[in-house]
Amino acid sequence: MSVDTVPAALAGPLTLVHAADHTPGWWRSAVIYQVYPRSFRDLNGDGVGDLAGITAELPQLAELDVDAVWLSPFYRSPQRDAGYDVSDYCDVDPLFGTLDDFDAMMAEAKRLGLRLIVDLVPNHCSDQHAAFRAALAAPADGPERDMFIFRDGLGESGELPPNNWQSHFGGPAWTRITEPDGTAGQWYLHLFDSSQPDFNWDNDAVHAEFERVLRFWLDRGVSGFRVDVAHALVKAPGLPAWGGRADGNSSDGFPGHEAPMFGQPALHDIYRAWRRILAEYGPDRILCAEANVDPLPRLADWVRPDEMHQAFNFPYLHAGLDPHRMRRVVTESLNALDAVGAPTTWVLSNHDVVRHATRFGYDGPAPRDGDGIGPADPQPNAELGRARAAAATMFMLGLPGGAYLYQGEELGLPDGIDIPDHQRQDPTFGRTGGERLGRDGCRVPLPWRAGEPNNGFGSGADPWLPQPESFGALARDTQAASPSSHLNLYRSMLALRRQLRLGEGSLAWLEDWSTDTSLGYLNGTVAVLMNVGHEPLDLPAGTVLLRSSAAAAMNAPEHQLGSGETVWLEIYIEDTES
Ligand code: NOJ
């Protein structure tokens, strides 16, 4: 559709941002569902989810009609950062099962037509990884140390860290070791917890090791990798001081793109090499960057034709429900990624952020900058949050490109808020003395079946994090049976999105809907209209395909769009060109 083909029913200007794109590649328009194994389904009754539990419930994901599943880490790990501290990249942690369980899960996914993507954690490993144990046991100038970033300390006796870098989880990014002879020794770098030493990507042996890991999982049939902190592997030569934010986002005087631990040019050669390896396995294996890149247009560098296939759009996740900000992010994203021929990858929730059903339960930003919510904080309005979350997801799933969903969002789950301090496991909580609550709230085990022990998560031990009271009413089986449930809205959205090929579609802003309280765009012949204001808005003529209020059993008047509601409306377009 061109800009001058104005739908009769939508008299008003349009601004075309993105043309329909049918370039082959399943991931370009895919909906990928994130499974967080610890919290998905506990089949062996130890209180923690497992691979057999995932296998057992995969049919539910196939029925939801997603294209693929991304699994957060299930590798051998001391679990100091919920598995993002890997001690063996080519084995399954006994907590989750065995390699045979993995193969069984892979086979079931194949049978159901679901692709599986696994998490690759190449920036750091666990301090229990054999290579780090060997580095600790080796002399300071030995090759074993060179697998990691060891430096002598500053100060008279090396008692000060080598530079001022801070850990993402709080505190310094350096820890001093005791040398094998018992003396206080060198320091090693860890951008995250002290149990997660950073690899030295200036060392070819590190490259070789990860190429082996890639092949190990590709040979087992995975469709690709979500690459953890993909912007951090290479550090600037000399490790210069940095006074900006530890997460690399811009702050006054410290633009994110100058952070010496992020976005270094040599990273891109690593991903080009990985892409060549994936290509040996055919055209369908993909890499998705978890890269916190600031400013947004630089995200395009990660998805150039010979690099990664996808990069999460975190600016979209953080845009909230502010129509102006959403519009700016969507426009900038499509412009930047179209320029390199890459799809945009939308996302609203994952295991690192407060769930969007909780974030949107506040008028204004969630407390603590979204870094967990506790019982002493202002509390969200659960119903409002759920209704707005449905509206936000419906806005997102109408956009052209791919999208990721986080387990439980299809149930409209809120964060767990009443988690006792002693049960909090996120290292952020411990490293900041409880000042930052961390991410446990969004990681609470799923409710599958109402009335069963632990709402059907597992019938044995208590779940590793307590489920909120509200999970009973939100259990999957209850929702499956109710036509007006959040789950059934997701099913309808995903089915329609596929049928209408919205992921391959176009985007033109409907200028009349671009206001302080509303935002609307046209994707092909579907108008996606969102009302974030307090007053209902009149709908233009067209056929209502789906309303987000279907999930709240709200009764918006037929010709209006209610407060906090999104609609997909089929518009009849007069072709002025023929
Ligand atoms: C990003 C992951 O998503 C997060 O959960 C983890 O703590 C850090 N990377 C460190 O691996």
Side-chain angles (χ1 to χ4, degrees):
M1 195 198 72
S2 72
V3 237
D4 45 33
T5 318
V6 179
L10 281 173
L14 288 175
T15 304
L16 183 72
V17 176
H18 171 86
D21 181 357
H22 304 294
T23 309
W26 68 270
W27 65 92
R28 299 182 66 90
S29 56
V31 176
I32 303 181
Y33 182 101
Q34 179 187 358
V35 165
Y36 193 65
R38 312 185 120 244
S39 300
F40 192 70
R41 175 88 164 86
D42 169 22
L43 217 62
N44 69 1
D46 64 357
V48 180
D50 40 52
L51 297 189
I54 298 171
T55 308
E57 305 295 0
L58 275 180
Q60 307 256 10
L61 303 187
E63 197 193 298
L64 192 58
D65 205 9
V66 296
D67 298 281
V69 170
W70 151 36
L71 293 162
S72 281
F74 48 82
Y75 315 110
R76 262 189 198 269
S77 158
Q79 304 291 323
R80 294 283 298 276
D81 183 21
Y84 283 93
D85 50 322
V86 181
S87 55
D88 184 345
Y89 288 86
C90 296
D91 201 2
V92 173
D93 196 279
L95 188 62
F96 300 119
T98 62
L99 274 173
D100 285 345
D101 291 333
F102 178 87
D103 292 339
M105 178 177 63
M106 190 76 235
E108 175 67 347
K110 232 182 211 142
R111 184 186 76 77
L112 294 164
L114 286 170
R115 297 170 189 274
L116 280 191
I117 291 171
V118 295
D119 217 307
L120 188 73
V121 190
N123 179 67
H124 47 266
C125 59
S126 155
D127 60 0
Q128 301 307 309
H129 190 287
F132 191 71
R133 305 306 305 162
L136 290 182
D141 57 357
E144 295 87 349
R145 289 260 167 113
D146 198 39
M147 292 290 283
F148 299 91
I149 304 179
F150 279 91
R151 292 290 184 276
D152 293 335
L154 304 178
E156 239 161 67
S157 53
E159 74 281 10
L160 300 173
N163 71 16
N164 68 348
W165 293 6
Q166 295 295 301
S167 151
H168 277 248
F169 295 158
W174 294 93
T175 291
R176 194 171 195 187
I177 64 160
T178 303
E179 298 291 347
D181 65 4
T183 57
Q186 289 194 303
W187 298 70
Y188 66 90
L189 178 71
H190 50 87
L191 291 185
F192 294 90
D193 188 52
S194 54
S195 65
Q196 294 167 292
D198 280 42
F199 280 111
N200 170 21
W201 279 89
D202 292 335
N203 183 341
D204 289 345
V206 173
H207 293 241
E209 171 59 7
F210 276 93
E211 292 179 7
R212 181 183 78 87
V213 173
L214 286 176
R215 289 183 194 283
F216 179 87
W217 293 105
L218 288 167
D219 287 340
R220 288 194 115 83
V222 305
S223 287
F225 304 88
R226 173 265 191 191
V227 181
D228 191 58
V229 278
H231 54 312
L233 279 51
V234 177
K235 279 76 181 177
L239 311 180
W242 169 248
R245 288 173 56 123
D247 64 8
N249 283 331
S250 297
S251 57
D252 275 354
F254 293 100
H257 67 270
E258 287 179 7
M261 65 292 270
F262 300 121
Q264 300 300 307
L267 281 168
H268 298 287
D269 292 333
I270 299 174
Y271 301 132
R272 288 193 185 101
W274 289 5
R275 175 116 181 194
R276 287 194 294 273
I277 292 176
L278 263 65
E280 290 173 29
Y281 290 80
D284 278 353
R285 318 282 181 125
I286 68 160
L287 295 166
C288 175
E290 190 228 9
N292 195 6
V293 176
D294 181 22
L296 196 162
R298 291 181 67 236
L299 203 57
D301 290 352
W302 299 83
V303 286
R304 289 175 285 199
D306 58 347
E307 296 195 37
M308 298 217 183
H309 301 74
Q310 298 181 319
F312 291 113
N313 193 322
F314 294 128
Y316 184 76
L317 185 154
H318 294 297
L321 288 174
D322 171 355
H324 299 293
R325 201 162 157 200
M326 290 173 79
R327 176 172 172 152
R328 193 168 56 244
V329 169
V330 170
T331 303
E332 273 187 19
S333 307
L334 290 170
N335 285 339
L337 275 70
D338 279 352
V340 293
T344 309
T345 304
W346 312 106
V347 60
L348 282 169
S349 278
N350 64 34
H351 65 293
D352 289 331
V353 297
V354 172
R355 286 179 174 279
H356 63 291
T358 295
R359 295 202 308 270
F360 296 152
Y362 292 90
D363 278 319
R368 296 173 183 270
D369 198 16
D371 196 10
I373 295 171
D377 291 318
Q379 297 299 294
N381 175 334
E383 275 199 11
L384 178 71
R386 213 168 7 258
R388 284 182 178 166
T393 304
M394 205 160 154
F395 190 89
M396 175 180 85
L397 288 178
L399 292 169
Y404 277 71
L405 306 178
Y406 176 47
Q407 67 177 36
E409 68 165 87
E410 75 279 22
L411 305 177
L413 293 187
D415 259 38
I417 290 177
D418 285 315
I419 301 177
D421 287 357
H422 72 272
Q423 276 185 278
R424 291 196 181 271
Q425 299 201 17
D426 185 345
T428 312
F429 184 76
R431 287 183 67 88
T432 62
E435 194 185 312
R436 288 165 59 191
L437 294 178
R439 303 158 293 176
D440 291 315
C442 64
R443 300 174 175 181
V444 173
L446 297 186
W448 288 91
R449 290 161 196 95
E452 290 189 8
N454 309 318
N455 295 308
F457 169 65
S459 57
D462 287 345
W464 69 283
L465 287 172
Q467 295 172 320
E469 197 68 37
S470 63
F471 273 30
L474 295 173
R476 189 177 213 92
D477 65 342
T478 309
Q479 295 207 35
S482 155
S484 64
S485 66
H486 214 87
L487 176 62
N488 278 317
L489 175 70
Y490 265 67
R491 285 177 174 162
S492 306
M493 281 193 285
L494 291 167
L496 258 178
R497 180 186 147 92
R498 187 182 296 285
Q499 183 196 323
L500 300 168
R501 300 176 74 178
L502 296 178
E504 297 167 41
S506 55
L507 185 133
W509 294 116
L510 295 161
E511 295 297 349
D512 286 351
W513 280 79
S514 229
T515 72
D516 291 343
T517 56
S518 66
L519 190 60
Y521 59 86
L522 202 57
N523 179 345
T525 57
V526 178
V528 175
L529 308 173
M530 184 176 70
N531 177 7
V532 293
H534 294 295
E535 301 302 325
L537 298 170
D538 289 337
L539 283 176
T543 305
V544 171
L545 299 173
L546 200 59
R547 285 173 174 272
S548 63
S549 59
M554 266 161 53
N555 285 325
E558 207 184 319
H559 301 295
Q560 291 198 312
L561 185 62
S563 160
E565 193 184 11
T566 297
V567 67
W568 288 357
L569 194 72
E570 175 89 46
I571 302 288
Y572 304 102
I573 295 186
E574 265 180 16
D575 190 351
T576 55
E577 283 175 343
S578 57

